[in-house]
Amino acid sequence: MPLSSRHVVDLPWRLSTPLMQEGRDTVLWEDAQGQVLGFAAWQYYWATLDFFILPGPTAQQVEQDIFAWAEERFRELDEERGRPLPYWVEFRDDDLARRELVEACGYLLDEGDHYVALEHPLTDLPPVPALPEGFTLRQLAGEQEVAAYAELHRAAFESTSMTPEWRARTLQMPQYRPEIDIVVSAPGSELAGFCVGWLAPERGVAQIEPLGVHPRYQHLGLGRILLLEMLHRFQAHGAEKSLVETNLERTAARKAYESVGFSQGQLVYRQGKWMTNV
């Protein structure tokens, strides 16, 4: 997969979602020798179509096949839901080829909900601040702690999406490394914050996905501690650059990343299309 493709590094996290396991929202294209030519997945939890296409002579046909499959699946979802919704595709502002493909397929709606991709060279890192008294930073305690993690994640993001089953599947991914799956526990052992990292050693790149702190424990500096600890761990693994994405309107999160040395790489745009008349 080309480096310009988004979610190459954190793809294991996205493939672990509950709906990915049902098999209706994801599809692969392979040649006669089993070489993967393309992959597509409707990511319900992010409301976007993920897709990757192997460059080469088959790319144009795979492009057509991916969008034909996606639009058929989207119409099925409209029918099952009983009402239409727009479906979204994302592309970076420096990826002209993907933008042209998306627009040629009719994805022209712009809701203005964009992301910013931030980058951090893993050199001259600030030291990790000390934890507040009684707090502990450690690795996630494996499957025995996924239920507690899921509860913390839901509270941190004010979302009901995360489940213990989703979190447990991430631990089984070949790319998973327990030493970059860290949490902070509060006095009394309640989980207060988390940060999950993913590595692409062959690219020298690492990515944070996700990071959060329970509302009860915000404003204690835990997010900064988790973030800097993760960057140091990435550096120890030989990564040269760290990536993270956040919603463009999530100003507090962006400022927190920038305060430790992240800077803007690219903007990520979302464009959509209705499959059913509204």
Side-chain angles (χ1 to χ4, degrees), residues 111-175:
E111 67 174 357
D113 183 18
H114 305 316
Y115 286 82
V116 58
L118 304 173
E119 301 180 355
H120 194 309
L122 294 172
T123 55
D124 301 322
L125 296 175
V128 181
L131 284 161
E133 185 175 355
F135 287 76
T136 304
L137 189 150
R138 57 174 174 80
Q139 292 178 196
L140 183 79
E143 290 195 20
Q144 70 187 47
E145 205 164 36
V146 295
Y149 170 92
E151 182 179 354
L152 168 61
H153 185 114
R154 292 192 295 266
F157 288 106
E158 299 180 346
S159 166
T160 60
S161 297
M162 177 53 59
T163 66
E165 293 76 18
W166 177 353
R167 193 62 175 91
R169 277 189 292 271
T170 67
L171 275 58
Q172 305 305 317
M173 288 290 176
Q175 301 91 333

Side-chain angles (χ1 to χ4, degrees), residues 23-24 28 68 81 105 151 164-165 189 218 234 259 263 273:
R24 301 180 65 201
L28 285 172
R81 191 187 307 110
C105 292
E151 182 179 354
E165 293 76 18
S189 300
Q218 292 176 1
F234 285 161
S259 73
S263 59
K273 178 180 179 180

Side-chain angles (χ1 to χ4, degrees), residues 21 39 67 81 83 98 117 138 144 184 211 214 250:
Q21 315 317 305
F39 162 79
F67 280 89
R81 191 187 307 110
R83 62 188 176 93
R98 182 164 291 221
R138 57 174 174 80
Q144 70 187 47
V184 167
L211 179 152
H214 195 290
R250 203 171 290 158

Side-chain angles (χ1 to χ4, degrees), residues 234-248:
F234 285 161
Q235 184 185 58
H237 277 283
E240 299 171 358
K241 180 172 68 175
S242 177
L243 310 174
V244 70
E245 286 190 5
T246 188
N247 189 287
L248 192 57

